[in-house]
Structures are given as structure tokens and as C-alpha cells.
Amino acid sequence: EASITYPTRFPLSAIPEVDSVVVSVNGLRIDEGWALEAPATVVFDAAPAASAAIRVSYVVDASTPGLGG
């Protein structure tokens, strides 16, 4: 019997200011069950459902090279 493994790691497109990261699953903010792995990956303790809408909002770290910081 085949099993399906859903992802737990979601790379961000830029390096965030750590304190600005907000994670929502299906429109609900979640404050536990995930961590920010340096420099820019959200890692869930358990994989969200395949149909889950995951949104990560953050302020881009101004010291990121190429952003004039």
C-alpha cells in the first residue's frame, strides 16, 4: 500500500524580520505548531492537509542583500 507524504517545509521568497512572521492555515492564524528555520523556511510540526491554504506574511528584513539595507 502506497503512502503519501505531505510537505512540512515551506521556503519563503525573502528573509523575514523574525518577529513579523504570521502563519495562517485556511484563513486561521496559528501561533503554535510551526517554527521559522533560518534563514527563511517555515517548518510545520505536522504537515497541513493537502487541501489546506497556507499563507505566510512577513516584513522583509531590510538588511537582506540587494534591498538597500
Side-chain angles (χ1 to χ4, degrees):
E1 184 174 313
S3 64
I4 298 173
T5 303
Y6 296 110
T8 57
R9 302 170 57 82
F10 295 84
L12 304 178
S13 59
I15 297 173
E17 289 184 6
V18 175
D19 294 335
S20 74
V21 178
V22 175
V23 176
S24 300
V25 177
N26 294 329
L28 300 174
R29 178 179 171 155
I30 58 170
D31 295 321
E32 298 177 347
W34 64 272
L36 181 64
E37 185 177 89
T41 301
V42 170
V43 181
F44 286 90
D45 295 344
S51 61
I54 300 164
R55 180 180 174 140
V56 180
S57 58
Y58 55 91
V59 174
V60 174
D61 186 336
S63 66
T64 301
L67 295 176

